Amino acid sequence: MGVSAGNKALRIAITLTLCALCFSASPSFAQTAPAAAAAKPSATTAYRAPRTPDGRPNLSGIWQAMNEAEYDIQAHDARPGPLVVMGAWGGLAPSIGVVEGGPLPYRPEALAKKKENEANALALDPEVKCFLPGVPRATYMGFPFQITQSAKYVAFTYGYDFASRVVNIGTTSKAPVDSWMGWSSGKWEGDTLVVDVTAQVEDTWFDRAGDYHSDELHVVERYTSTSPNSLLYEVTITDPKVYTRPWKMSMPLYRRLEKNIQLLDYNCVPFVEELMYGHLRKVQTPEEKAKADADLPTLPASGPTKDVEDEQQP
C-alpha cells in the first residue's frame, strides 16, 4: 500500500523531534570523557605505600599467598592425591599456575628426574619429612608469614616449621656455607624490595609436583606494594644445570586482617618421628615380650607381718 505525502512528512517530523530530545538529554562525549577518566584511575598510576622512618615503603605485616602453587606451580587439572583412602579429602585443586611463559624450560634429562620426583613425591618430597622449604617455596606453602622491617634488615618469619631468614640491605657478602633457606642480600629499586638469594642446598623443591633445582640455583625476588593490603611477589629462577633459560613466576600476596592476627607454631617434627625413625625401634615377638616381662624385678608378695614386740618374746 502506498504512503501519502502527508503521512510521510508527519513520520519524518516525529522522528526528528525524538532525536532532538535524545541528544538534548544526553551529555556530549566531550562532557563525559573527563568524568570517566576521573572515575577510573589511570593504569599507570602507582600505589604509594606508607613509609618507614628511613623513607622506604613499609612492607611490615603478616601476609599469605592464596593460590595452589604449593601443589604445582604450573597450570594443572584437578587430580587425586597420593593416598586412595583419603578420597576427595586428599584431592588437588586445579590451577592456572603461577609460572609465566608456559611450561618450565627443563633440560631433557632434568625433565625425566622431575617426572620421577612427581611419581614418588610421597617418599621424596622434603616437606613430607618436615625439612625447611627454601626460597621461594616458603612464600606460597599456604602458611602465613611475617615481614619485619628496619633500615638495614628485613626479616621474614614463616608459619611453617619455624623457618626464617634475614635480608641484609645493601650488603654483598657471601654465604659462609649453603643452607636450607639460603643467603639473602637486598636492595631497593624505587619502591620495590629486590632480594638476591644464593647458597641454598639442592634438596628443596618448588612444589609437591616434583619441580626441583640443583646446587646452582639463583633466586631473585621482588616485593612491590600494590594496595594497602596486597603485594606483588615476583621471582626469577636461574639454574643452568636443570633449565635451559631463566624463568619467572608471580603472584599477589594478601595481608591477613583478622583481629589479633599472629603467627602460631607449626612444629611438624613430632609428626614425622615415626615416619623417619620408627624402623629403629626394636620389634619383639610375643614370646620375646613375655620373656622380657618375666625378667622384670618383682615386689615381694604381701602377707601378714610380725610385730616387733612379738619377736622379742621368749
Side-chain angles (χ1 to χ4, degrees):
M1 179 180 292
V3 179
S4 66
N7 289 339
K8 187 174 182 179
L10 179 60
R11 289 182 179 182
I12 293 174
I14 293 173
T15 301
L16 292 174
T17 302
L18 291 174
C19 289
L21 289 173
C22 289
F23 279 111
S24 63
S26 302
S28 66
F29 174 78
Q31 292 174 318
T32 58
K40 184 177 181 181
S42 170
T44 60
T45 301
Y47 167 72
R48 180 173 172 80
R51 303 283 140 167
T52 59
D54 62 327
R56 299 299 185 182
N58 190 349
L59 307 182
S60 297
I62 295 180
W63 308 88
Q64 187 168 351
M66 302 295 290
N67 56 38
E68 299 74 33
E70 159 63 2
Y71 300 98
D72 193 339
I73 59 176
Q74 301 188 76
H76 58 271
D77 294 326
R79 56 179 183 264
L83 297 177
V84 175
V85 295
M86 294 183 68
W89 197 18
L92 277 65
S95 173
I96 60 174
V98 296
V99 176
E100 298 183 3
L104 295 181
Y106 276 108
R107 295 186 178 279
E109 65 278 8
L111 180 58
K113 179 174 175 57
K114 184 268 191 220
K115 292 179 179 179
E116 180 184 351
N117 288 345
E118 186 172 17
N120 300 280
L122 197 58
L124 300 179
D125 185 353
E127 183 191 349
V128 173
K129 297 179 180 179
C130 191
F131 290 119
L132 294 178
V135 180
R137 190 177 184 179
T139 306
Y140 49 78
M141 292 186 71
F143 291 83
F145 64 93
Q146 186 167 10
I147 299 177
T148 308
Q149 184 178 340
S150 70
K152 294 184 178 181
Y153 305 101
V154 178
F156 288 78
T157 306
Y158 299 93
Y160 177 82
D161 195 22
F162 307 109
S164 64
R165 61 183 171 127
V166 175
V167 179
N168 297 280
I169 302 298
T171 65
T172 57
S173 58
K174 301 297 182 181
V177 65
D178 290 355
S179 62
W180 287 89
M181 298 301 291
W183 187 260
S184 297
S185 300
K187 63 180 180 180
W188 289 95
E189 291 183 357
D191 283 358
T192 297
L193 174 64
V194 181
V195 183
D196 191 271
V197 188
T198 56
Q200 293 193 75
V201 296
E202 62 181 334
D203 302 273
T204 61
W205 286 9
F206 295 123
D207 53 27
R208 296 183 183 180
D211 292 305
Y212 76 106
H213 61 85
S214 75
D215 58 351
E216 292 191 11
L217 174 67
H218 181 198
V219 177
V220 178
E221 304 173 287
R222 300 177 66 88
Y223 297 83
T224 308
S225 290
T226 52
S227 79
N229 299 314
S230 64
L231 303 175
L232 174 61
Y233 181 60
E234 303 170 280
V235 189
T236 300
I237 303 294
T238 302
D239 188 341
K241 277 189 179 179
V242 178
Y243 304 101
T244 59
R245 59 172 174 80
W247 53 274
K248 180 182 177 182
M249 55 181 159
S250 61
M251 66 193 74
L253 303 174
Y254 299 99
R255 187 187 299 275
R256 294 288 296 264
L257 297 175
E258 297 92 328
K259 183 180 180 180
N260 298 326
I261 184 66
Q262 57 187 296
L263 291 187
L264 302 177
D265 293 345
Y266 183 78
N267 179 15
C268 55
V269 171
F271 308 159
V272 301
E273 288 178 344
E274 180 66 24
L275 171 67
M276 296 179 67
Y277 308 115
H279 65 284
L280 300 177
R281 184 187 302 107
K282 182 178 179 181
V283 179
Q284 295 178 311
T285 64
E287 293 78 12
E288 290 174 333
K289 187 175 187 307
K291 183 178 182 304
D293 291 343
D295 292 339
L296 291 175
T298 57
L299 295 174
S302 60
T305 59
K306 294 182 179 180
D307 194 313
V308 175
E309 294 183 357
D310 294 340
E311 292 182 352
Q312 295 177 351
Q313 294 295 328

